[in-house]
Amino acid sequence: MPPPPPAHHPTHQVLDALAALDATQVLADALDTLPGGLFTVNAERVITSWNAEMAALTGYRADEIIGRSCGVLQADACFSSSCVRPGDPCGLWEQGAVFQKRCTLKRKDGQRIAVVKNARLLYDREGRLHGALESALDVSDVMRLEAEVAALQREVDQARPYPRIVGEHPLMQQLYNRITLAAEGQAPVLVTGETGAGKGLVVEAIHEASARRHGPLVWVNCGTLPEGVLLRELFGHVRGAFAGALADRKGRIEAADGGTLVLDDFGALPDEVQIRLLRLVRDGELVRLGESQSRRVDVRLISASNQDLRALMDEDLLREDLYYRLAVVPIEVPPLRARMSDIPELASHVLARTARRRRDLAKQLSAETLTRLQGHDWPGNVRELEQSLEYATVLTRGLVVEPCSLPPDLADPACEPRGPKRKPRPALDARRIHAALEATDGHKARAAERLGVSRVTLWKWMKRLGLDD
């Protein structure tokens, strides 16, 4: 639970200025004057005030709902825990504040409405928890617009030759043409490009657009497996082929029969693996380990690599005959820095996908943020862009991503450090703990609230000070 605001906090300055007024009337007027639905609850989560906008939003008049638990609203996903049942833990009490959280509320007539909620715990000057102030903004119209945008986006995706690959740059148009040509044939394909450029999406697009789309798509990462394991994974084995081979087992190549086999991270392979692969590509046959009988398979091979394969051939680490048989249809995925004009569309696509996954409102980029993104050279390509935007959405409380929410290597150096900070642990002493327990008749949970700590923290301090008995 976060500590209460310090004595010089602006909130206390406002309270001092209003000290001569009727505080109850001031609060009521403020709640009815500010835009959006606003209400307060006490430390037991009982509603204590309710403005006119909240009444219009939910159908509950103030006199009908004040004095009732906030659980009557049946908020489904406001905080880390549900507040539907009385007594359920509320995430707000643990987090201290929540901003721009989408959820739904249940109206008096039983209908559910979509809202965006903000909430913050309220303390007095002595640090005692008094409750919380919460706001709710109706976003039903926004959701309708989002549905319309999603429908339009589906139309755009359908207009794209390959919906999961985003970009209109001329280099991308060339890429789409190559994918189409590769998908129409059966020849082996070699997909090259830098790490994070999107080679995996290209491989999947070829398979899904091909006549083999109803068959399996089987991946083998050639760069991470030792020679013996790679041989067994690719070609399978028969019983007794090696110690521990207790039964016959198909390899990945046979598992891909009728579909597509992807040799991911293809490069400098052990000689025996290269020789066996050459026979597979040339004759369509394989031999399981420990067996002399050859087996025919119907597999389309796609290889993917971020290495300089010609340099590997020059160093005699890759057989030329294998390379040329696997690279019948070469496809190079352009790096992001070569198509910077695609960044706005890519960013919009990533932010919309993130919002759908989090059931949240889609965030937008400010002009300054977009300028910073387009000024970066993106050594990690599209993957780095996706991770940077994920980072920014976590740090952005509102709906507009500003430059200071970007990762440190992208943000303005003048930005203050952002990110999770460890909350300082309040030091407790026996006197303060005794006073809190006496004021709450020994109720440890309420005593912890008075002290501004969790129940676990209170228990640990009591044990440390010898007060647990």
Side-chain angles (χ1 to χ4, degrees), residues 74-79 99-105 112-117 139 143 146 351-363 399:
Q74 296 189 20
D76 64 346
C78 292
F79 309 111
F99 299 95
Q100 298 293 324
K101 186 68 176 178
R102 177 185 286 192
C103 66
T104 65
L105 303 179
R112 298 200 74 87
I113 53 172
V115 300
V116 168
K117 288 190 70 177
V139 292
M143 289 191 65
E146 283 186 345
L351 292 172
R353 186 182 62 197
T354 302
R356 287 194 299 271
R357 186 175 69 249
R358 296 181 176 178
R359 297 181 69 245
D360 204 350
L361 295 174
K363 301 184 186 299
L399 295 178

Side-chain angles (χ1 to χ4, degrees), residues 1 6 19 23 41 47 73 121 146 148 154 201 208 217 219 292 328 374 378 392 408 442 468:
M1 184 178 297
V41 297
I47 297 171
L73 299 175
L121 297 181
E146 283 186 345
E148 293 177 11
R154 283 193 294 272
L201 292 178
E208 291 166 3
L217 175 64
W219 294 74
S292 58
V328 176
Q374 291 181 306
W378 299 108
D468 48 322

Side-chain angles (χ1 to χ4, degrees), residues 76-131:
D76 64 346
C78 292
F79 309 111
S80 60
S81 303
S82 171
C83 296
V84 173
R85 296 181 302 274
D88 280 355
C90 180
L92 175 61
W93 258 242
E94 292 296 328
Q95 299 176 36
V98 175
F99 299 95
Q100 298 293 324
K101 186 68 176 178
R102 177 185 286 192
C103 66
T104 65
L105 303 179
K106 189 174 182 181
R107 285 175 45 89
K108 182 181 177 181
D109 59 13
Q111 294 183 355
R112 298 200 74 87
I113 53 172
V115 300
V116 168
K117 288 190 70 177
N118 294 290
R120 181 182 288 277
L121 297 181
L122 300 175
Y123 299 87
D124 64 13
R125 294 189 181 188
E126 283 70 41
R128 292 188 296 264
L129 177 67
H130 270 210

Side-chain angles (χ1 to χ4, degrees), residues 434-446:
H434 276 304
L437 288 170
E438 288 178 3
T440 58
D441 295 326
H443 194 291
K444 292 186 176 63
R446 292 179 181 173

Side-chain angles (χ1 to χ4, degrees), residues 121-159:
L121 297 181
L122 300 175
Y123 299 87
D124 64 13
R125 294 189 181 188
E126 283 70 41
R128 292 188 296 264
L129 177 67
H130 270 210
L133 172 66
E134 304 191 30
S135 69
L137 179 65
D138 185 1
V139 292
S140 301
D141 291 338
V142 174
M143 289 191 65
R144 280 192 289 272
L145 289 173
E146 283 186 345
E148 293 177 11
V149 170
L152 292 172
Q153 186 64 51
R154 283 193 294 272
E155 293 181 11
V156 171
D157 289 344
Q158 292 171 359

Side-chain angles (χ1 to χ4, degrees), residues 193-362:
E194 297 178 4
T195 299
K199 297 185 295 295
L201 292 178
V202 171
V203 170
E204 291 173 359
I206 295 171
H207 174 75
E208 291 166 3
S210 73
R212 296 176 176 267
R213 58 184 172 275
H214 300 299
L217 175 64
V218 179
W219 294 74
V220 181
N221 193 316
C222 302
T224 60
L225 301 176
E227 179 178 357
V229 177
L230 182 58
L231 280 168
R232 297 197 296 269
E233 284 295 311
L234 281 170
F235 299 97
H237 59 78
V238 295
R239 180 180 178 182
F242 52 86
L246 304 179
D248 293 357
R249 179 179 177 273
K250 285 184 178 181
R252 300 287 184 91
I253 297 172
E254 288 183 81
D257 193 23
T260 304
L261 177 72
V262 184
L263 302 175
D264 194 18
D265 199 10
F266 174 78
L269 299 176
D271 288 341
E272 185 176 354
V273 175
Q274 294 192 46
I275 293 170
R276 286 174 175 265
L277 282 175
L278 184 61
R279 180 177 182 182
L280 173 69
V281 179
R282 185 185 61 214
D283 304 327
E285 295 181 348
L286 64 82
V287 177
R288 291 183 181 178
L289 298 186
E291 187 178 51
S292 58
Q293 174 189 354
S294 63
R295 300 169 182 267
R296 292 201 62 81
V297 287
D298 175 23
V299 171
R300 205 289 177 75
L301 281 173
I302 301 180
S303 306
S305 179
N306 61 2
Q307 301 182 58
D308 185 345
L309 299 181
R310 293 188 179 276
L312 294 178
M313 286 192 292
D314 293 340
E315 298 172 14
D316 294 327
L317 297 174
L318 176 62
R319 295 175 60 109
E320 286 192 22
D321 49 358
L322 178 60
Y323 169 81
Y324 287 114
R325 286 187 179 273
L326 292 178
V328 176
V329 182
I331 297 178
E332 183 174 2
V333 183
L336 182 54
R337 63 181 174 276
R339 56 185 188 104
M340 300 294 273
S341 60
D342 283 338
I343 284 182
E345 185 181 7
L346 277 165
S348 178
H349 178 78
V350 172
L351 292 172
R353 186 182 62 197
T354 302
R356 287 194 299 271
R357 186 175 69 249
R358 296 181 176 178
R359 297 181 69 245
D360 204 350
L361 295 174

